[in-house]
């Protein structure tokens, strides 16, 4: 008997899907597909684990395949397991999932636009080519070319790796010289996804509030699963450092402006199947894409708690119960309670002794849980991107005003007074004799 059945038909327990790099929050694809009687095959895109990726419980997968560079061999091994679908779990798995799903003749976004779904320059150019308003930008590895472009821009530029993630290496530059310095610091450096930066993309700085629109698509039909506003600060030399994301009601006034634009971006990038994560700014000229990922957001299981279902659950329907997906697509999600994710932003460096005000955080009325990413005894550094957050907090409350108050209180508590650290000694000059 099935563990789950309904009017949409039975799902056989022997069904399997393959997820490329089901690490982090998308490890929970195992639960979403298990609810429909399907197992998950883990396809690891690299032979070594990537930086910042925690190990997962391999016993939750029906099989694990590792890509050693032989795509044909991997496709043959995967085909023998007869998966119903192949989808990416994180950014590093997007292109491999496209290639495998296309080779196996499954629902696929195809490989023709794979690079545009990963490369931050190509995706903006593709969007503009399809008539969707987007920012000015340049791709370059030449400091003089970048300086000249910044001169014509006449404002702030954002310089970042072509294929990075998590805000890594993103630099806000107010002058051509600052842009050139950012290029020099990024060029040829290995990023957190295990790829070397051969050039950078420089883009105009978009002024406006930034939002996240998360979606799942099935045969080109798009469903918005959740929309978030972002809270940002300027700290540690970083402008617009993300410190919180707040789940919006589906009837929030910004949503009707964001959603049609998001659908146009999905169509332009050829995202017809699976999850997508869009970062969009509402500028005085209207919505503008910051960047897009053809994979789930990092917060999908929180969404399921706050709404009842999120990208993981909608993706399971899209691939295994497409008729049910299509029958329900277009409905607005209903937020059960106000919900937010927030991060501490360390201004200090050294060896962490303790968090001085963590008990006060735990006593906030909307407090749900805290995750320590840097614990006592660990080295702490000033936060400049996602993998340098020392701790994250989730908040939930039926009354949004209470949650907003607690977010503000959290920001008040964070700062140098939050962290007791032992300063690390600065290496002195060597006195070794030659």
């Amino acid at each position: 008997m099935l563990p789950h059945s309904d009017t949409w038909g039975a799902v056989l327990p022997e069904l399997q899907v393959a997820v490329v790099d089901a690490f982090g929050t998308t490890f929970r694809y195992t639960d979403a597909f298990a609810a429909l009687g399907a197992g998950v095959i883990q396809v690891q895109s690299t032979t070594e684990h990537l930086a910042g990726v925690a190990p997962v419980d391999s016993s939750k997968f029906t099989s694990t395949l590792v890509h050693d560079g032989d795509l044909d061999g991997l496709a043959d091994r995967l085909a023998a397991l007869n998966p119903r679908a192949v989808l990416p779990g994180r950014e590093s798995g997007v292109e491999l999932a496209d290639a495998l799903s296309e080779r196996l003749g499954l629902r696929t976004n195809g490989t023709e636009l794979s690079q545009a779904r990963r490369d931050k320059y190509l995706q903006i150019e593709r969007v503009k080519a399809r008539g969707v308003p987007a920012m000015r930008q340049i791709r370059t590895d030449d400091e003089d070319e970048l300086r000249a472009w910044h001169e014509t821009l006449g404002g702030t530029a954002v310089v970042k790796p072509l294929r990075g993630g998590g805000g890594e290496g993103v630099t806000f530059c107010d002058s051509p010289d600052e842009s050139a310095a950012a290029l020099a610091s990024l060029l040829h450096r290995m990023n957190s996804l295990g790829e070397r930066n051969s050039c950078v993309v420089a883009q105009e700085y978009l002024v406006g509030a930034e939002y996240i629109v998360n979606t799942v698509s099935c045969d080109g039909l798009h469903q918005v699963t959740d929309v978030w506003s972002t809270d940002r600060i300027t700290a540690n030399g970083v402008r617009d450092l993300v410190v919180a994301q707040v789940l919006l009601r589906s009837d929030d006034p910004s949503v009707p402006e964001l959603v049609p634009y998001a659908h146009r971006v999905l169509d332009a990038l050829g995202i017809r199947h699976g999850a997508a994560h869009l970062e969009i700014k509402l500028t005085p000229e209207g919505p503008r894409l910051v960047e897009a990922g053809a994979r789930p957001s990092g917060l999908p299981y929180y969404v399921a708690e706050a709404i009842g279902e999120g990208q993981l659950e909608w993706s399971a329907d899209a691939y295994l119960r497409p008729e049910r997906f299509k029958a329900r697509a277009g409905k607005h999600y209903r937020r059960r309670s106000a919900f937010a994710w927030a991060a501490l932003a360390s201004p200090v460096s050294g060896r962490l002794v303790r968090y001085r005000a963590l008990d006060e955080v735990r006593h906030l009325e909307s407090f749900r849980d805290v995750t320590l990413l840097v614990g006592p005894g660990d080295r702490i550094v000033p936060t400049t991107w996602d993998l340098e957050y020392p701790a994250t907090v989730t908040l939930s409350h039926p009354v949004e005003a209470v949650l907003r108050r607690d977010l503000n209180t959290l920001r008040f508590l964070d700062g140098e007074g939050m962290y007791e650290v032992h300063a690390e000694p600065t290496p002195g000059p060597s006195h070794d004799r030659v």
Side-chain angles (χ1 to χ4, degrees), residues 14 82 120 128 140 142 160 178 199 220 224 235 253 282 295-296 298 307 352 390 407 416 419 424-425:
E14 63 267 20
N82 195 31
K120 299 180 192 307
K128 289 193 290 190
T140 185
D142 182 89
K160 54 189 176 182
E178 289 181 5
C199 56
V224 172
L282 282 183
R295 42 75 184 177
I307 297 175
L352 180 67
L407 275 175
E416 289 196 17
Y419 310 92
E424 295 183 317

Side-chain angles (χ1 to χ4, degrees), residues 320-402:
L320 295 186
R321 303 192 295 186
E323 295 81 7
R324 184 175 191 268
F325 178 101
K326 293 172 184 177
R328 299 193 306 133
K331 79 170 201 175
H332 299 299
Y333 67 85
R334 185 176 181 275
R335 195 182 71 177
R336 295 171 173 174
S337 65
F339 195 94
W341 167 95
L344 301 187
S346 162
V348 301
S349 62
R351 193 67 58 177
L352 180 67
V353 177
R354 66 186 179 101
Y355 294 93
R356 293 192 179 100
L358 207 55
D359 283 343
E360 292 182 63
V361 172
R362 290 191 174 100
H363 283 98
L364 294 172
E365 190 174 345
S366 64
F367 175 81
R368 179 186 170 278
D369 66 22
V370 61
T371 299
L372 297 185
L373 303 172
V374 177
D378 293 338
R379 184 170 181 269
I380 191 169
V381 299
T383 303
T384 61
W385 69 296
D386 290 11
L387 291 189
E388 291 174 344
Y389 293 131
T392 61
V393 178
T394 54
L395 306 172
S396 181
H397 198 276
V399 179
E400 181 158 343
V402 173

Side-chain angles (χ1 to χ4, degrees), residues 142-152 176-181:
D142 182 89
E143 290 185 17
D144 291 338
E145 182 181 37
L146 181 53
R147 279 194 180 92
W149 178 84
H150 195 143
E151 288 281 3
T152 64
D177 285 345
E178 289 181 5
S179 287

Side-chain angles (χ1 to χ4, degrees), residues 20-44:
V20 183
D21 291 346
F23 298 110
T25 56
T26 57
F27 171 68
R28 299 200 180 204
Y29 263 134
T30 56
D31 297 328
F33 283 106
L36 303 187
V40 172
I41 303 161
Q42 165 77 297
V43 179
Q44 188 173 307

Side-chain angles (χ1 to χ4, degrees), residues 19-102:
V19 180
V20 183
D21 291 346
F23 298 110
T25 56
T26 57
F27 171 68
R28 299 200 180 204
Y29 263 134
T30 56
D31 297 328
F33 283 106
L36 303 187
V40 172
I41 303 161
Q42 165 77 297
V43 179
Q44 188 173 307
S45 67
T46 58
T47 55
E48 301 293 333
H49 283 287
L50 297 174
V53 174
V56 295
D57 180 5
S58 60
S59 68
K60 294 290 289 286
F61 301 116
T62 57
S63 303
T64 298
L65 303 179
V66 177
H67 182 35
D68 60 4
D70 179 4
L71 182 59
D72 290 334
L74 177 63
D76 289 343
R77 285 185 285 147
L78 183 57
L81 298 174
N82 195 31
R84 177 69 68 87
V86 183
L87 54 148
R90 65 193 304 269
E91 190 71 16
S92 57
V94 169
E95 288 163 305
L96 184 56
D98 287 343
L100 290 171
S101 57
E102 186 175 73

